[in-house]
Amino acid sequence: MKLTAILIICAAFIACNSGQPEKPEEPVAVMPATSSDNASTDEFALIKKYDCAVCHRKDEKLQGPSYIDVAQKYKGRNDAVAYLSKKIIEGGSGVWGEVPMNAHPGMPQSDAEDLAKYILSTK
């Protein structure tokens, strides 16, 4: 049973890393998100649940852009919530540089929309 679990984890790790060229990454200090990011309790729970803070912060770039930068880029766009929630679920690359955003295919649409609304509300 343990061997099966280990093999599944290894297969998932290999699948996540396949197809991407190997290049050395710059070391990034990953700190856990805090509620001081001005997210409400519900938004903070979603950020924590989906590990958004591994790559994003409210006001600083990590692996991905800050929430404030995303809000600025899509400010005034009528379909911003729909566009961002789709990007959150499907992932993507090229919009903010070479580092791809991981897909979150198991995330409910409502959670993705709530995250997109929070991101767009940051100032």
Side-chain angles (χ1 to χ4, degrees):
M1 182 67 178
K2 288 182 183 180
L3 180 59
T4 303
I6 291 170
L7 290 174
I8 291 171
I9 291 169
C10 289
F13 180 76
I14 291 168
C16 288
N17 289 321
S18 65
Q20 296 179 8
E22 286 190 44
K23 71 175 191 177
E25 292 184 24
E26 294 180 28
V28 175
V30 177
M31 301 179 321
T34 64
S35 58
S36 65
D37 278 350
N38 294 328
S40 75
T41 303
D42 292 341
E43 292 150 346
F44 180 68
L46 290 175
I47 289 167
K48 187 175 179 182
K49 178 179 180 180
Y50 295 111
D51 293 329
C52 303
V54 171
C55 297
H56 302 278
R57 291 285 186 281
K58 179 183 176 190
D59 56 1
E60 67 179 294
K61 179 186 183 318
L62 290 179
Q63 292 282 351
S66 71
Y67 298 144
I68 292 172
D69 289 342
V70 175
Q72 287 295 323
K73 183 175 185 99
Y74 298 104
K75 184 170 99 175
R77 187 169 163 167
N78 293 335
D79 68 338
V81 171
Y83 175 80
L84 290 177
S85 61
K86 181 178 178 184
K87 289 295 257 184
I88 291 168
I89 291 172
E90 294 179 1
S93 65
V95 176
W96 295 94
E98 292 182 30
V99 178
M101 178 164 159
N102 293 334
H104 300 85
M107 182 185 293
Q109 181 69 31
S110 60
D111 285 358
E113 289 174 3
D114 287 346
L115 284 167
K117 288 174 188 173
Y118 165 67
I119 292 165
L120 292 166
S121 75
T122 58
K123 296 178 178 139

